[in-house]
Amino acid sequence: MTLRDIGEFGLIERIAERFPTAGFEGGSLGIGDDCAVLRRNRDELDLVTTDLLIEGSHFLREAISPRLLGRKSLAVNLSDIAAMGGECRWAFLALALPGEISVAWIDEFFDGVQERLAEAGVELLGGDTTRSNGPIVIQFTVLGSVSRAHLKLRRAARAQDLICVTDCLGDSGAGLQALLEGVARNDAVAHLIERHLDPRPQLAEGAWLGASSDVHAMMDLSDGLDSDIRRIMEQSRAGARIEVEHLPLSSQLREVAAQHAWSAWELAVSGGEDYALLCTVAPERYTVLAEAFRSRFGRELSAVGRITDRPGQLLYLRDGVQVDPSKLGFDHFKND
Ligand code: ADP
Ligand code: MG
């Protein structure tokens, strides 16, 4: 048996079995959510998350500017803090760089890091630097905090909850496809590529949803809805039904998908790196919450399906008829 057979999630499960934690009541909550949760005192919790980006696997040096790379490598970590309902505070950066990289490249990378830190009100406190004999390696660790009452875990979804997303889905996946296929740029294509290269972590949205007791489970969409909703299902021991006709698609995605005969809904379901938030909401509270979300953020809190009491069962329906997505979420070891 190889890593390819068990996949990224199989590996994480094996690690988690070896290193169980007591839960934050007992001091800390470890592997299994967007962040680790540490108990500071009765009312306050600390959050820690880290993500690794490797040239060739996560980005191509020719396809992203160093400034955007700096912004993005921080954004993916900030998004995990937002996904817990928390606020971002401090960052550490570990970097491995090949000797031939120009100082101009490094300066631009840090321009992006600095911009993103300022936008999020986060301080860089340290890190580590080393030479790489191969690819560029970037690892941010971000620390945040959340009041205990606002903490949102993946395990808190309840049967009948509405499954909601805070932004359009599939733009980033379509932007990546446009880059890989060398699609001719027009405004819509440029928009999708921007969503892929410069994702916006939904910090205000995460804190706002964290403050609502009508929101039960929450996580951020990094691997794609199909893959990520399964994490909520596993942790909440529940099932889910996604109503494909309710997936929020941007006008740009619809336009470009139509031009290139791409399936917009498959991109919305299986495309990764949208970094919208995925949450489950008490059904009787949805209308009021969505109205408040719209007046606060000027966007929809789109309900795209329901949590069910069938553990492990994920169904896709289009106008009530079951459909099968042919492409699934990205797994780092299975999709070689
Ligand atoms: P996300 O996409 O939100 O960053 P991941 O899928 O990377 O989450 O990780 C899921 C969980 O597994 C997290 O709790 C993370 O801390 C944990 N995890 C991932 N890789 C490792 C590892 N090598 N050792 C320990 N825990 C890990
Ligand atoms: Mg996450």
Side-chain angles (χ1 to χ4, degrees):
M1 192 167 62
T2 65
L3 181 50
R4 200 166 289 136
D5 300 319
I6 62 171
E8 182 181 346
F9 299 115
L11 172 61
I12 292 174
E13 265 172 42
R14 285 172 84 91
I15 303 174
E17 277 168 24
R18 205 185 269 261
F19 303 103
T21 47
F24 64 92
E25 308 285 355
S28 64
L29 180 71
I31 301 171
D33 220 300
D34 294 279
C35 295
V37 183
L38 311 174
R39 186 173 183 277
R40 196 191 310 163
N41 57 41
R42 208 174 46 131
D43 302 321
E44 293 166 297
L45 305 167
D46 292 309
L47 301 169
V48 186
T49 184
T50 189
D51 261 296
L52 190 60
L53 275 79
I54 301 197
E55 181 181 9
S57 293
H58 300 94
F59 65 91
L60 298 171
R61 219 185 293 184
E62 333 56 91
I64 185 164
S65 72
R67 176 177 150 263
L68 291 184
L69 183 60
R71 290 175 62 83
K72 185 168 179 174
S73 17
L74 188 52
V76 302
N77 285 281
L78 300 177
S79 176
D80 278 325
I81 302 268
M84 308 296 289
E87 268 182 61
C88 305
R89 292 275 179 85
W90 301 288
F92 291 80
L93 170 60
L95 263 183
L97 297 170
E100 82 274 4
I101 204 122
S102 72
V103 172
W105 190 98
I106 297 171
D107 284 345
E108 271 183 54
F109 172 82
F110 279 99
D111 288 344
V113 168
Q114 212 173 0
E115 276 173 26
R116 203 30 122 209
L117 287 169
E119 284 167 21
V122 172
E123 257 185 303
L124 183 73
L125 294 184
D128 195 22
T129 307
T130 178
R131 198 181 82 169
S132 166
N133 294 322
I136 298 171
V137 179
I138 302 163
Q139 183 188 21
F140 269 106
T141 300
V142 174
L143 286 80
S145 59
V146 63
S147 76
R148 201 183 141 155
H150 292 183
L151 177 74
K152 300 297 178 203
L153 298 173
R154 294 178 180 180
R155 64 160 83 134
R158 304 177 199 168
Q160 302 308 320
D161 276 0
L162 287 172
I163 299 168
C164 297
V165 294
T166 57
D167 211 343
C168 293
L169 302 181
D171 281 10
S172 177
L176 175 62
Q177 191 155 329
L179 283 172
L180 294 175
E181 292 185 10
V183 164
R185 304 259 173 134
N186 58 23
D187 287 351
V189 171
H191 170 85
L192 300 177
I193 290 177
E194 191 196 322
R195 295 306 296 253
H196 178 69
L197 297 179
D198 195 17
R200 195 180 62 85
Q202 308 217 325
L203 306 184
E205 291 86 342
W208 190 91
L209 291 166
S212 167
S213 56
D214 301 329
V215 176
H216 296 156
M218 185 152 72
M219 68 181 293
D220 70 332
L221 282 161
S222 54
D223 293 330
L225 177 64
D226 180 80
S227 175
D228 291 331
I229 191 66
R230 291 175 198 273
R231 309 280 86 79
I232 287 185
M233 288 164 47
E234 285 159 10
Q235 297 261 331
S236 302
R237 298 193 178 84
R241 220 170 48 218
I242 303 292
E243 287 145 10
V244 168
E245 71 275 17
H246 291 136
L247 295 173
L249 305 179
S250 68
S251 58
Q252 292 90 344
L253 175 60
R254 288 174 196 274
E255 181 188 323
V256 176
Q259 269 167 8
H260 297 277
W262 297 344
S263 164
W265 83 266
E266 283 183 15
L267 282 162
V269 162
S270 64
E273 300 197 290
D274 278 317
Y275 298 104
L277 298 172
L278 172 65
C279 60
T280 80
V281 174
E284 69 281 4
R285 305 290 306 156
Y286 170 73
T287 309
V288 171
L289 187 76
E291 180 63 44
F293 185 91
R294 194 180 303 120
S295 51
R296 170 68 180 78
F297 297 107
R299 285 202 317 278
E300 294 302 310
L301 179 65
S302 306
V304 301
R306 255 184 211 273
I307 295 294
T308 67
D309 59 7
R310 309 289 294 272
Q313 188 190 63
L314 175 58
L315 296 178
Y316 289 93
L317 305 173
R318 194 202 306 263
D319 302 317
V321 180
Q322 203 178 324
V323 285
D324 267 324
S326 67
K327 287 190 228 156
L328 296 174
F330 192 83
D331 183 305
H332 275 282
F333 298 109
K334 290 190 169 172
N335 304 56
D336 274 345

